[in-house]
Amino acid sequence: MSVKVVFELNLQEGKTSDLVEMMRGALPFTRKYDGCERVNICVGQEDQTQVILVSEWASKEKYLAYVQYRTDDGSIAKIGSMLASEPRLSIYDIQDA
């Protein structure tokens, strides 16, 4: 079953452009990663330190394999260095309706 993943980030002041630039380099690869169906980055209109990554994956397991890859390549730590507070991760089952 496909899942939607919402990764909410509260960035330090002045780090939004750094994160967006990092994502411009990383997301083309992510979109080709096994199980990725789509991924987008969204920046808050009123508060640009509020950023979400919204993605859809073929399964939770495929997503977790991708997270492990990004942990191993150092990307997760790099994102962590830009945060003002702990991120929030939510994973949802996509329902046919």
Side-chain angles (χ1 to χ4, degrees):
M1 172 180 286
S2 291
V3 296
K4 182 172 291 280
V5 177
V6 180
F7 191 39
E8 299 175 65
L9 308 172
N10 179 25
L11 300 176
Q12 299 168 25
E13 288 291 331
K15 295 295 183 179
T16 303
S17 61
D18 294 342
L19 180 72
V20 169
E21 197 58 37
M22 179 183 169
M23 293 298 106
R24 282 190 181 125
L27 293 185
F29 173 83
T30 301
R31 290 181 180 107
K32 294 177 185 173
Y33 197 89
D34 182 37
C36 182
E37 296 173 356
R38 72 174 33 115
V39 61
N40 292 295
I41 184 171
C42 306
V43 176
Q45 288 186 345
E46 295 180 18
D47 181 356
Q48 293 191 344
T49 65
Q50 300 298 307
V51 176
I52 59 172
L53 291 166
V54 181
S55 57
E56 291 183 18
W57 292 83
S59 68
K60 182 178 180 180
E61 293 75 22
K62 297 281 188 182
Y63 172 71
L64 294 176
Y66 170 75
V67 170
Q68 186 61 56
Y69 170 80
R70 287 302 188 191
T71 299
D72 293 345
D73 84 351
S75 296
I76 299 296
K78 188 170 183 179
I79 291 170
S81 73
M82 298 180 203
L83 298 177
S85 62
E86 288 295 314
R88 180 178 170 169
L89 176 69
S90 301
I91 301 175
Y92 303 91
D93 289 328
I94 298 173
Q95 303 295 310
D96 289 329

